[in-house]
Amino acid sequence: MRGDELVTIGELAARTGLAVSAIRFYETRGLVAPLRTRGNQRRFLRSDIRRLSFALIAQKLGLTIDEIAAELGKLPQGRTPTVRDWDRISRGFRREIDRRIALLERTRSKLDECIGCGCLSLRKCALYNPDDALGAGGAGPRLVLETGEAE
């Protein structure tokens, strides 16, 4: 492996905007796996910039560290991922993003409906929940969380 393919933890921090302590945390969770020099210093593959950037984006979208680690675990260790590698991981990631977008859209729609009704009470609402019919079906915000809802 060429030396220019490796970066120090400080260089990785500068490129990703992460604190060195955050990179160490991600290392303990298996998102990156540095190599060690003879002096026991960490050296990261330049491609770890992409891995950590992916992790940052995924966290902003609400994925957990375990979910992110599972996705990154599908990428090869010890070599720069290819376009094919990233395409494979992005397909699964895209499905999760689509699922979360659908939930956000349902939530926005239901909030608009409830606030638009004016009563702000599902117990009394004659427009969207007459006689609290939804309460008979169980607890929780089912109109938002269930995808096969009946209007």
Side-chain angles (χ1 to χ4, degrees):
M1 179 171 305
R2 294 184 351 230
D4 63 347
E5 293 176 356
L6 299 177
V7 296
T8 66
I9 195 167
E11 291 169 326
L12 187 59
R15 284 297 314 270
T16 61
L18 288 166
V20 168
S21 59
I23 294 171
R24 287 188 187 118
F25 169 75
Y26 288 133
E27 177 187 349
T28 64
R29 299 305 300 268
L31 277 65
V32 291
L35 306 169
R36 294 288 183 156
T37 66
R38 287 190 181 132
N40 204 30
Q41 295 176 330
R42 290 174 175 86
R43 293 293 184 265
F44 294 85
L45 292 174
R46 188 165 293 283
S47 62
D48 286 336
I49 296 167
R50 286 190 203 107
R51 293 175 72 92
L52 291 177
S53 295
F54 173 84
L56 289 170
I57 293 166
Q59 280 187 292
K60 292 269 187 209
L61 293 173
L63 273 72
T64 67
I65 293 292
D66 290 338
E67 290 170 320
I68 296 165
E71 290 299 321
L72 289 176
K74 297 173 185 175
L75 294 174
Q77 286 291 338
R79 73 163 171 82
T80 300
T82 64
V83 171
R84 183 178 291 152
D85 293 327
W86 279 110
D87 185 55
R88 189 174 59 250
I89 184 177
S90 71
R91 279 192 301 267
F93 191 58
R94 205 174 297 126
R95 283 190 293 274
E96 180 60 19
I97 290 171
D98 289 344
R99 187 189 68 74
R100 289 174 189 236
I101 287 171
L103 174 59
L104 287 169
E105 288 175 342
R106 282 194 310 277
T107 302
R108 181 182 57 211
S109 172
K110 295 304 173 187
L111 286 174
D112 289 348
E113 290 170 4
C114 185
I115 292 169
C117 167
C119 77
L120 300 178
S121 167
L122 291 179
R123 184 169 301 283
K124 296 189 295 186
C125 184
L127 184 60
Y128 292 107
N129 188 21
D131 300 319
D132 193 26
L134 292 171
R142 292 182 329 280
L143 283 181
V144 173
L145 296 180
E146 293 177 0
T147 59
E149 68 213 36
E151 296 289 327

